[in-house]
Amino acid sequence: MSGPSIYEPKTGFEKWLDTRLPIIRFGADLMDFPTPKNLNYWWTFGGILAVCLMVQIATGIVLAMHYVATTQGAFASVERIMRDVDYGWLIRNIHANGASMFFLAVYIHMFRGLYYGSYKAPREVIWILGVVIYLLMMATAFMGYVLPWGQMSFHGSAVITNLIGAIPLVGDTVKTYLMGGPAIGEATLNRFFSLHYLLPFVIAGIVVLHIWALHVPGNNNPTGVSVKDVKKDTLPFHPYYTVKDGFAILLFLLVFAYFVFFAPNALGHADNSIEANPLVTPAHIVPEWYLLPFYAILRAITFDIGPIEAKLLGVFAMFGSILILFVVPWLDTSKVRSMRYRPMAQQFFVLFVLAAVGLGFCGANDPDKLVFKWSDGLVVNYVDTNGAAKVSQKYAEYADATAFQASLPASAGASIAIQEDGFKWLWLSQILGAYYFLYFILILPVLGIVEKPKARPPSIADSVRGKKSGGSSASATPVGGAASVAAE
Amino acid sequence: MSEHGSKAATADTAHAGETRRDFIHIAAGVAAAGGVAMVAWPFVQQLGPAGDTKAASAAEVDLSKVPEGSEIRVGIGGLPFFVRHRTAAEIARAKADDTATMRDPATDESRLVKMADGSYNAAFLITSGACTHLGCVPVGPAQGSVGEFGGWYCPCHGSHYDTSGRIRKGPAPKNLAIPEYAYISPTMIKISL
């Protein structure tokens, strides 16, 4: 998509260098890169993510200068960073909240790609590289969370490594190699520190490939219509998108700074301020918020299917929910990229976003607790004459419950308790989890066949000039057109 | 870009060619530079000694534990210091050399610190333990070598220090430095970095 290079070396040195290492030409061509002129603010998250990665690497390098990767010293060294190292509190808060900001941005970036069909031909490789980056981000974040060696660090990592242990045949071996011993300990901490330092640079490398792959077909755009005339449909990346991205980055940094300065612990867990104790697991063990939807899917599987046990099935579902993203380009059969022109897909997409966010809430809540209550009453717990524990029927009135209690012999040890019935978080996570998978394996493939897309503008230039539909349109109505604008 | 700029040019002939866009460029550049500087500040500051390191940068030394004719070595924040209990002969030799030709002339008394009562305790010489040449730690009476002038000898490049810690021979340019210290009692000193 990139046209011939328009860079012309001016000084003698630039001419000399251009024939030896054309690095200035490389940068100039990137800045001149023809970019669709209709990109909206959802497209600024790529630049925001680049900033996030740089912030994490810069602050991480600093933290590694002060951090001690031993089970005896890790927790104290983090406290020392917070209390004694000059501006250590600032740099650690940026790093810890930076992980959350990174994931916030990457989720918006991914939803944008899903909505506008940025994964479709010829951009499948960009998407796949993006999923690889996302996987590496999760691995990096998980290992980074272990390093402060708090209670959540320790027991969270125990849960995740045990997940891997559930994989049949190889699980136990992989788990042992991951931990380097019978349990999470010194060896685990050291290798996690090493890998936590390494992986961001691997991510940076794949980001280069991601951007390289992007610069072959060029950016997708909100209409999904390919660039037809570079002169009419595009603008040079600089200054048009450097300024637009820069403005979005500033707004994003405002949110970032709010968390760093005013709510640095809002996204963390209080339990992680207690040093790791291998003998006591915290009462509530949950991962960081950005992993909660997958945690919910893991816990949603409480049933066996044939010979496969629920535990293993849950692990498969959890990994499957991420790995399925790799094949999205081939699951979506629609010829139309942007959901702006796909009235049915739009609605299913909104439900998908709600399901993904809802799964996050499911992951944060106890699966046996109630989302909402539809009835409550009193029950009598007692021991019958055979010595078996029994629960009475539910009574609406206290008098009825006490009457039943009085009817029992004293040896029954009867006691009255409140019983609430309602919609469990477990059930919600099962419904939303089912929708998550159905969206990819059923809805996307079928929609492409049954959906009648609206007319698309003939070109990006036409869409910018306000011609919403070009040529003959069978389904585009004024109402539908307005809806697609609102959904943007 | 310039075609937009020329439209924005004002009628003010004194500023012909300068546009609002130029102003925005400069203002944005200055704001960005200020932002970078403010971000850089904590990243540079964190390289300095941390609060606990600074707090550990002083130590009290009990002089009564130092045997006469020998020395003890004190590490403060990883830096070596010599606390030497000089014999009468060593003190006399140091004072006798006050007028000798030296690379870094100093009297023995100028290398001591007054006690609370205003007098000098010539028996105790407190110096830095780093050779002024390239920072090796010279050997002294406890290591069995005091050099040609009875003080210290640096094994790295052969600098000889006298019993007042003054450089007398070899490549070192300066006398052994006198650290910041004070007598908090006649037998107790506090050395600070």
Side-chain angles (χ1 to χ4, degrees):
Chain A
M1 157 141 179
S2 180
S5 181
I6 59 163
Y7 166 72
E8 274 178 41
K10 290 184 186 70
T11 65
F13 172 73
E14 282 178 47
K15 283 174 189 151
W16 179 86
L17 191 65
D18 198 47
T19 54
R20 286 158 178 83
L21 178 69
I23 190 167
I24 303 176
R25 177 180 299 278
F26 179 74
D29 291 350
L30 280 183
M31 287 294 114
D32 280 328
F33 190 74
T35 311
K37 55 166 67 169
N38 59 338
L39 298 190
N40 57 32
Y41 273 101
W42 298 115
W43 258 263
T44 60
F45 282 87
I48 287 170
L49 284 162
V51 170
C52 285
L53 180 61
M54 287 187 280
V55 166
Q56 289 304 88
I57 290 178
T59 52
I61 287 170
V62 167
L63 292 175
M65 292 178 190
H66 303 286
Y67 174 73
V68 177
T70 65
T71 55
Q72 295 298 309
F75 189 83
S77 74
V78 172
E79 286 305 306
R80 181 175 177 272
I81 289 168
M82 294 302 282
R83 293 155 192 253
D84 287 330
V85 174
D86 281 0
Y87 295 102
W89 59 272
L90 176 62
I91 291 162
R92 176 165 181 253
N93 282 343
I94 293 174
H95 196 75
N97 287 284
S100 285
M101 293 300 119
F102 206 157
F103 275 96
L104 175 68
V106 90
Y107 284 135
I108 296 173
H109 193 63
M110 290 164 76
F111 280 133
R112 188 270 287 161
L114 286 171
Y115 183 80
Y116 292 109
S118 300
Y119 49 82
K120 291 189 198 185
R123 297 187 181 81
E124 301 95 320
V125 173
I126 310 175
W127 174 261
I128 288 168
L129 288 168
V131 178
V132 171
I133 292 169
Y134 175 55
L135 278 174
L136 287 170
M137 277 174 64
M138 288 200 285
T140 310
F142 159 66
M143 288 190 276
Y145 195 55
V146 176
L147 302 183
W149 209 241
Q151 275 287 64
M152 278 291 180
S153 300
F154 183 89
H155 295 282
S157 59
V159 169
I160 301 289
T161 46
N162 277 310
L163 277 185
I164 289 158
I167 297 168
L169 304 174
V170 294
D172 262 338
T173 316
V174 172
K175 181 183 151 191
T176 308
Y177 279 121
L178 198 63
M179 298 195 300
I184 305 284
E186 193 90 24
T188 325
L189 184 60
N190 271 292
R191 65 193 55 188
F192 277 15
F193 180 48
S194 168
L195 293 173
H196 182 72
Y197 204 114
L198 167 73
L199 288 185
F201 297 97
V202 177
I203 292 175
I206 297 180
V207 166
V208 170
L209 297 182
H210 190 65
I211 296 172
W212 183 6
L214 171 70
H215 280 80
V216 177
N219 295 73
N220 184 28
N221 68 84
T223 65
V225 175
S226 298
V227 170
K228 296 196 172 80
D229 181 336
V230 170
K231 217 173 162 78
K232 284 182 182 162
D233 291 344
T234 71
L235 292 166
F237 185 73
H238 179 77
Y240 295 97
Y241 286 108
T242 45
V243 169
K244 186 162 186 159
D245 282 0
F247 180 63
I249 287 165
L250 285 179
L251 293 182
F252 184 79
L253 290 180
L254 283 181
V255 178
F256 197 148
Y258 169 77
F259 279 103
V260 169
F261 291 104
F262 298 104
N265 298 315
L267 300 169
H269 298 290
D271 274 315
N272 223 29
S273 300
I274 303 167
E275 190 166 5
N277 179 351
L279 302 180
V280 180
T281 299
H284 251 354
I285 183 111
V286 285
E288 290 279 78
W289 70 266
Y290 40 80
L291 300 177
L292 285 174
F294 305 105
Y295 189 58
I297 288 174
L298 169 78
R299 290 194 304 189
I301 313 288
T302 51
F303 45 84
D304 303 343
I305 293 181
I308 312 172
E309 286 184 346
K311 176 182 174 185
L312 182 58
L313 214 53
V315 174
F316 281 158
M318 189 188 74
F319 285 122
S321 65
I322 302 161
L323 296 180
I324 200 166
L325 295 172
F326 279 112
V327 290
V328 167
W330 295 278
L331 289 175
D332 186 350
T333 52
S334 176
K335 296 270 187 297
V336 180
R337 285 200 193 102
S338 172
M339 287 193 190
R340 199 182 260 191
Y341 309 105
R342 300 182 60 192
M344 287 169 78
Q346 253 175 20
Q347 295 170 21
F348 285 110
F349 176 81
V350 171
L351 288 178
F352 175 74
V353 175
L354 291 176
V357 174
L359 279 169
F361 282 95
C362 292
N365 281 284
D366 185 333
D368 289 327
K369 291 266 162 60
L370 306 178
V371 184
F372 56 84
K373 180 179 76 174
W374 53 56
S375 77
D376 54 15
L378 298 169
V379 291
V380 182
N381 294 306
Y382 64 98
V383 180
D384 70 8
T385 47
N386 299 324
K390 291 269 183 176
V391 182
S392 74
Q393 67 173 94
K394 216 157 93 179
Y395 297 98
E397 296 297 327
Y398 181 67
D400 297 338
T402 48
F404 178 71
Q405 188 186 22
S407 73
L408 294 168
S411 62
S415 63
I416 297 177
I418 297 170
Q419 185 183 309
E420 293 185 331
D421 288 308
F423 195 75
K424 286 182 179 179
W425 282 103
L426 173 68
W427 302 342
L428 184 63
S429 62
Q430 286 172 339
I431 293 166
L432 298 181
Y435 182 78
Y436 181 99
F437 281 103
L438 283 177
Y439 179 79
F440 289 118
I441 59 180
L442 186 68
I443 295 170
L444 281 185
V446 171
L447 270 190
I449 298 159
V450 303
E451 184 182 42
K452 195 170 166 74
K454 292 190 286 192
R456 285 163 283 158
S459 73
I460 293 170
D462 286 311
S463 82
V464 172
R465 281 193 220 103
K467 289 181 189 168
K468 279 289 166 195
S469 58
S472 62
S473 160
S475 63
T477 61
V479 178
S484 78
V485 172
E488 204 179 294
Chain B
M1 199 156 47
S2 55
E3 70 271 23
H4 301 298
S6 58
K7 274 181 214 154
T10 62
D12 185 349
T13 47
H15 297 282
E18 293 175 27
T19 63
R20 278 197 250 180
R21 182 153 295 196
D22 290 332
F23 172 77
I24 290 168
H25 276 161
I26 293 165
V30 169
V36 168
M38 283 196 282
V39 170
W41 178 256
F43 279 82
V44 174
Q45 282 299 105
Q46 58 84 20
L47 290 168
D52 59 338
T53 309
K54 285 179 191 156
S57 60
E60 292 176 7
V61 181
D62 186 354
L63 298 178
S64 64
K65 300 277 167 60
V66 187
E68 190 176 12
S70 190
E71 66 177 4
I72 62 167
R73 296 179 167 208
V74 184
I76 303 173
L79 282 178
F81 293 92
F82 297 154
V83 179
R84 182 143 175 184
H85 192 170
R86 301 188 291 186
T87 61
E90 284 171 337
I91 297 167
R93 188 173 175 185
K95 287 197 187 301
D97 281 354
D98 276 354
T99 52
T101 312
M102 282 186 277
R103 182 169 296 154
D104 183 14
T107 62
D108 186 50
E109 198 173 80
S110 73
R111 298 178 56 73
L112 300 173
V113 166
K114 280 178 184 164
M115 296 198 291
D117 62 4
S119 65
Y120 287 106
N121 185 359
F124 289 94
L125 179 73
I126 291 90
T127 72
S128 154
C131 177
T132 57
H133 181 219
L134 290 168
C136 292
V137 181
V139 295
Q143 289 80 32
S145 174
V146 291
E148 285 177 28
F149 295 85
W152 290 271
Y153 169 71
C154 184
C156 289
H157 304 93
S159 291
H160 297 255
Y161 294 93
D162 68 12
T163 53
S164 194
R166 295 171 295 204
I167 180 65
R168 301 298 293 274
K169 186 181 173 188
K174 294 275 185 189
N175 301 335
L176 287 178
I178 305 300
E180 195 178 303
Y181 73 96
Y183 280 89
I184 53 179
S185 86
T187 59
M188 191 73 95
I189 57 165
K190 183 178 181 183
I191 307 175
S192 310
L193 287 183

